Amino acid sequence: GLLDFARPPLLDRVRHELRDTVQRGVSLVEGRAKQQNVAVRTQLPQTPLVVDGDPAQIHQVFVNLLLNGMDAAGRGGVLQVVVSPSETPGGPCEISFRDSGKGIPADAFDRLFEPFVTTKEQGIGLGLAISRRIVEEHGGAIHVANRAEGGAEFAVELPTSPAAPQPPAEPERRMADGL
């Protein structure tokens, strides 16, 4: 994490389906969610959500927010992931991570996205700083708020693309001499 923060990787921008990236993140953390007895609920739109960005880096942001949300929700808690499409073509979509925990302490709120600031006993405080940088490099924004009903909500806004997603690049095939 420290190396990623100090020397961020270059963006590998491709048009891709954002719902797939969200679902991959949720699938990755399912085992830990079961261990922690946290219910992860997703709400995805039926229509495609295409973004022009680095799917691996966006996935990293989602996994970080999922893990943070599960930790905040605590045993028996709920983490809800809601993906809302843009209201205008090419406008921003929103991916919200809503936990049922205690919310964010007031004294940590202003410094939450600073490096080495954490509210966790085991955390080092780089996940949110790296996540914010990645989201901003994609032309988006990340917001946080305590929810009136309890818990916190992290909302990621990313610009959408009206174009269809690009299929993964096929490896270059070379024919052997004489074939």
Side-chain angles (χ1 to χ4, degrees), residues 11 13 27 30 32 36 45 54 64 73 76 80 89 106-107 111 113 121-122 130-131 161 164 168 170 172 174 179:
L11 288 178
R13 286 188 181 271
S27 294
E30 278 179 343
R32 183 168 168 184
Q36 291 181 222
D54 187 323
N64 180 57
Q80 186 178 22
D107 61 338
R111 300 185 54 218
F113 292 99
E121 290 180 22
Q122 301 294 325
I130 291 170
S131 293
S161 174
E170 297 230 5
E172 188 176 315
R174 297 179 187 219
L179 295 178

Side-chain angles (χ1 to χ4, degrees), residues 10 37-38 50 55 58 60 63 72 92 95 98-99 103 118 123 130 132 139 150 154 160:
L10 297 175
N37 194 26
V38 174
V50 180
I58 294 171
Q60 178 183 353
V63 168
I95 308 90
R98 303 170 183 160
D99 68 68
T118 184
I130 291 170
R132 180 175 67 177
F154 284 81
T160 59

Side-chain angles (χ1 to χ4, degrees), residues 144-173:
V144 62
N146 281 327
R147 302 171 59 215
E149 60 272 23
E153 176 177 1
F154 284 81
V156 175
E157 289 181 6
L158 290 172
T160 59
S161 174
Q166 296 173 345
E170 297 230 5
E172 188 176 315
R173 297 178 190 222

